[in-house]
């Protein structure tokens, strides 16, 4: 496998003349680097951006609802308390999906409250019988703005540049 050239501008035959591409590289700090690739399909006018663009709505992707392991994750994140057993319903799957989206795109979203207290982690490790692991530990609780936060972020499926990518790109704008 060979690395992709930074641009197809000097490599017209690279994609058989059907695509143009540009590789974006940003080094926001020592030891870190972000790269993305934008491809443009000339005849269809279609642009593909590999990692920076994200679009989501309130419905979990099919892969998450068809695989038991993923369904368990949706239900796990729908809990309100550490020991709550949540029924597997479409509404609870959507609730878990919304929380996963907020949590893993913002790390600590405005409506999420982190509970990373060492004692709670130790207690969880002493409770190995919880069926979904982690001793049932619930590292986050959610505030009343959770639904509003998800609706704002998802914008009904409108594509956005992921917040973490916005931060990375803003640190070294001259390198783009």
């Amino acid at each position: 496998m060979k690395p992709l050239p930074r641009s197809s501008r000097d490599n017209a035959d690279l994609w058989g003349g059907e695509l143009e591409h540009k590789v974006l590289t940003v080094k926001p700090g020592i030891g870190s680097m972000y790269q993305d690739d934008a491809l443009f399909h000339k005849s269809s006018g279609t642009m593909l951006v590999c990692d920076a663009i994200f679009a989501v709505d309130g419905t979990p992707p099919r892969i998450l609802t068809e695989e038991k392991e993923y369904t368990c994750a949706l239900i796990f994140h729908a809990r309100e308390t550490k020991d709550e057993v949540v029924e597997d319903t479409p509404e609870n799957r959507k609730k878990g999906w919304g929380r996963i989206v907020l949590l893993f795109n913002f790390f600590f979203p405005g409506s999420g409250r982190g509970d990373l207290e060492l004692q709670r982690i130790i207690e969880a490790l002493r409770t190995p019988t919880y069926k979904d692991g982690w001793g049932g530990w619930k590292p986050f609780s959610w505030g009343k703005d959770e639904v509003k936060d998800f609706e704002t972020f998802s914008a009904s499926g409108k594509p956005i540049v992921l917040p973490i990518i916005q931060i990375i790109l803003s640190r070294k704008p001259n390198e783009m």
Side-chain angles (χ1 to χ4, degrees), residues 134-164:
W134 290 97
W137 175 52
K138 190 171 179 303
F140 294 91
S141 59
W142 296 89
K144 61 181 170 47
D145 292 337
E146 168 191 348
V147 172
K148 185 181 97 181
D149 286 354
F150 180 82
E151 288 172 356
T152 300
F153 176 68
S154 68
S156 300
K158 180 181 172 189
I160 63 161
V161 175
L162 286 166
I164 189 64

Coordinates of all heavy atoms in Angstrom, one line a residue, residues 134-164:
W134 N -18.8 -3.6 33.6 CA -18.4 -2.4 34.3 C -19.1 -2.3 35.7 O -19.3 -1.3 36.2 CB -18.6 -1.2 33.5 CG -17.7 -1.0 32.4 CD1 -18.0 -1.4 31.1 CD2 -16.4 -0.6 32.4 NE1 -16.9 -1.2 30.3 CE2 -15.9 -0.7 31.1 CE3 -15.5 -0.1 33.4 CZ2 -14.6 -0.3 30.8 CZ3 -14.3 0.3 33.1 CH2 -13.8 0.2 31.8
G135 N -19.6 -3.5 36.2 CA -20.3 -3.4 37.5 C -21.5 -2.5 37.5 O -21.9 -2.0 38.5
G136 N -22.0 -2.2 36.3 CA -23.1 -1.3 36.2 C -22.7 0.1 36.3 O -23.6 1.0 36.2
W137 N -21.4 0.4 36.5 CA -21.0 1.8 36.7 C -21.5 2.7 35.6 O -21.5 2.3 34.4 CB -19.5 1.8 36.7 CG -18.9 3.2 36.7 CD1 -19.2 4.2 37.6 CD2 -17.9 3.8 35.9 NE1 -18.4 5.3 37.4 CE2 -17.6 5.1 36.3 CE3 -17.2 3.3 34.8 CZ2 -16.7 5.9 35.7 CZ3 -16.2 4.1 34.2 CH2 -16.0 5.4 34.6
K138 N -22.0 3.8 35.9 CA -22.6 4.8 35.0 C -21.8 6.0 35.1 O -22.0 6.9 36.0 CB -24.1 5.0 35.4 CG -24.9 5.8 34.4 CD -26.3 5.8 34.9 CE -27.2 6.5 33.9 NZ -26.8 7.9 33.7
P139 N -20.9 6.2 34.2 CA -19.9 7.3 34.3 C -20.6 8.7 34.0 O -19.9 9.7 34.3 CB -18.9 7.0 33.3 CG -19.5 6.1 32.3 CD -20.5 5.3 33.1
F140 N -21.8 8.7 33.5 CA -22.4 10.0 33.2 C -23.9 10.0 33.6 O -24.6 9.0 33.6 CB -22.4 10.3 31.7 CG -21.0 10.5 31.2 CD1 -20.3 9.4 30.7 CD2 -20.4 11.7 31.2 CE1 -19.0 9.6 30.2 CE2 -19.1 11.9 30.7 CZ -18.4 10.8 30.3
S141 N -24.3 11.1 34.1 CA -25.8 11.3 34.3 C -26.1 12.5 33.3 O -25.3 13.2 32.8 CB -26.1 11.7 35.7 OG -25.4 12.9 36.1
W142 N -27.4 12.6 33.1 CA -27.9 13.6 32.1 C -28.9 14.6 32.6 O -29.7 14.2 33.4 CB -28.5 12.8 30.9 CG -27.5 11.9 30.3 CD1 -27.2 10.6 30.6 CD2 -26.6 12.3 29.2 NE1 -26.1 10.2 29.8 CE2 -25.8 11.2 29.0 CE3 -26.4 13.4 28.5 CZ2 -24.8 11.2 28.0 CZ3 -25.5 13.5 27.5 CH2 -24.6 12.3 27.3
G143 N -28.7 15.8 32.2 CA -29.6 16.9 32.7 C -30.8 17.1 31.8 O -31.0 16.4 30.8
K144 N -31.6 18.0 32.1 CA -32.9 18.2 31.5 C -32.7 18.7 30.0 O -33.6 18.7 29.2 CB -33.8 19.2 32.3 CG -33.2 20.6 32.5 CD -34.1 21.4 33.3 CE -33.6 22.7 33.7 NZ -33.0 23.7 33.2
D145 N -31.5 19.2 29.7 CA -31.3 19.7 28.3 C -30.8 18.7 27.3 O -30.5 19.0 26.2 CB -30.3 20.9 28.3 CG -30.8 22.1 29.0 OD1 -32.1 22.2 29.1 OD2 -30.0 22.9 29.5
E146 N -30.8 17.4 27.7 CA -30.3 16.3 26.9 C -30.9 16.3 25.5 O -30.3 16.2 24.5 CB -30.4 15.0 27.7 CG -30.2 13.8 26.9 CD -30.6 12.5 27.6 OE1 -30.9 12.6 28.8 OE2 -30.7 11.5 26.9
V147 N -32.3 16.3 25.5 CA -33.0 16.2 24.2 C -32.7 17.4 23.4 O -32.5 17.3 22.2 CB -34.5 15.9 24.5 CG1 -35.3 16.0 23.2 CG2 -34.7 14.6 25.2
K148 N -32.8 18.6 24.0 CA -32.5 19.8 23.2 C -31.1 19.8 22.7 O -30.8 20.2 21.5 CB -32.7 21.0 24.1 CG -32.6 22.4 23.4 CD -32.8 23.5 24.4 CE -31.4 23.9 24.8 NZ -31.1 24.9 25.6
D149 N -30.1 19.4 23.5 CA -28.7 19.3 23.0 C -28.6 18.4 21.8 O -27.9 18.7 20.8 CB -27.8 18.8 24.1 CG -27.5 19.8 25.2 OD1 -28.0 21.0 25.1 OD2 -26.9 19.5 26.2
F150 N -29.3 17.2 21.9 CA -29.2 16.3 20.7 C -29.9 16.9 19.5 O -29.3 16.8 18.4 CB -29.8 14.9 21.1 CG -29.8 14.0 19.9 CD1 -28.6 13.3 19.7 CD2 -30.8 13.9 19.0 CE1 -28.5 12.4 18.6 CE2 -30.7 13.0 17.9 CZ -29.6 12.3 17.7
E151 N -31.0 17.5 19.7 CA -31.7 18.1 18.5 C -30.9 19.2 17.9 O -30.8 19.4 16.7 CB -33.1 18.7 19.0 CG -34.1 17.6 19.3 CD -35.4 18.1 19.9 OE1 -35.5 19.3 20.2 OE2 -36.3 17.3 20.1
T152 N -30.2 20.0 18.7 CA -29.3 21.1 18.2 C -28.2 20.5 17.4 O -27.9 20.9 16.3 CB -28.8 22.0 19.4 OG1 -29.9 22.5 20.0 CG2 -27.9 23.0 18.9
F153 N -27.5 19.5 18.0 CA -26.4 18.9 17.4 C -26.8 18.2 16.1 O -26.1 18.3 15.1 CB -25.7 17.9 18.3 CG -24.5 17.1 17.7 CD1 -23.4 17.8 17.3 CD2 -24.6 15.8 17.4 CE1 -22.3 17.1 16.7 CE2 -23.6 15.1 16.8 CZ -22.4 15.8 16.5
S154 N -27.8 17.4 16.1 CA -28.2 16.6 14.9 C -28.8 17.5 13.8 O -28.7 17.1 12.6 CB -29.2 15.5 15.3 OG -30.5 16.1 15.7
A155 N -29.4 18.6 14.2 CA -30.0 19.5 13.1 C -30.8 18.7 12.1 O -30.7 18.9 10.9 CB -29.0 20.3 12.5
S156 N -31.6 17.7 12.6 CA -32.4 16.8 11.7 C -31.6 16.2 10.6 O -32.1 16.0 9.5 CB -33.6 17.6 11.2 OG -34.4 18.1 12.2
G157 N -30.4 15.8 10.9 CA -29.6 15.1 9.9 C -28.8 15.9 9.0 O -28.1 15.4 8.1
K158 N -28.7 17.2 9.2 CA -27.9 18.1 8.4 C -26.4 17.9 8.6 O -26.0 17.8 9.8 CB -28.3 19.6 8.7 CG -27.5 20.6 7.9 CD -27.9 22.0 8.4 CE -26.9 23.0 7.7 NZ -27.1 24.3 8.2
P159 N -25.6 17.7 7.6 CA -24.2 17.4 7.8 C -23.5 18.6 8.5 O -23.8 19.8 8.2 CB -23.7 17.2 6.4 CG -24.9 16.9 5.5 CD -26.0 17.6 6.2
I160 N -22.6 18.3 9.4 CA -21.7 19.3 10.0 C -20.3 18.8 10.1 O -20.0 17.6 9.9 CB -22.2 19.5 11.5 CG1 -22.1 18.3 12.3 CG2 -23.6 20.1 11.5 CD1 -22.1 18.5 13.8
V161 N -19.4 19.7 10.4 CA -18.0 19.3 10.7 C -18.0 18.9 12.1 O -18.5 19.7 13.0 CB -17.0 20.4 10.4 CG1 -15.6 20.0 10.8 CG2 -17.0 20.8 8.9
L162 N -17.5 17.8 12.5 CA -17.5 17.3 13.9 C -16.8 18.3 14.8 O -15.8 18.9 14.4 CB -16.8 16.0 14.0 CG -17.6 14.8 13.5 CD1 -16.6 13.6 13.3 CD2 -18.7 14.4 14.4
P163 N -17.4 18.5 16.0 CA -16.8 19.5 16.9 C -15.3 19.3 17.2 O -14.6 20.3 17.2 CB -17.7 19.4 18.2 CG -19.0 18.9 17.7 CD -18.6 18.0 16.5
I164 N -14.9 18.1 17.4 CA -13.5 17.8 17.7 C -12.6 18.2 16.5 O -11.5 18.7 16.6 CB -13.3 16.4 18.2 CG1 -11.8 16.2 18.7 CG2 -13.6 15.4 17.1 CD1 -11.5 17.0 19.9

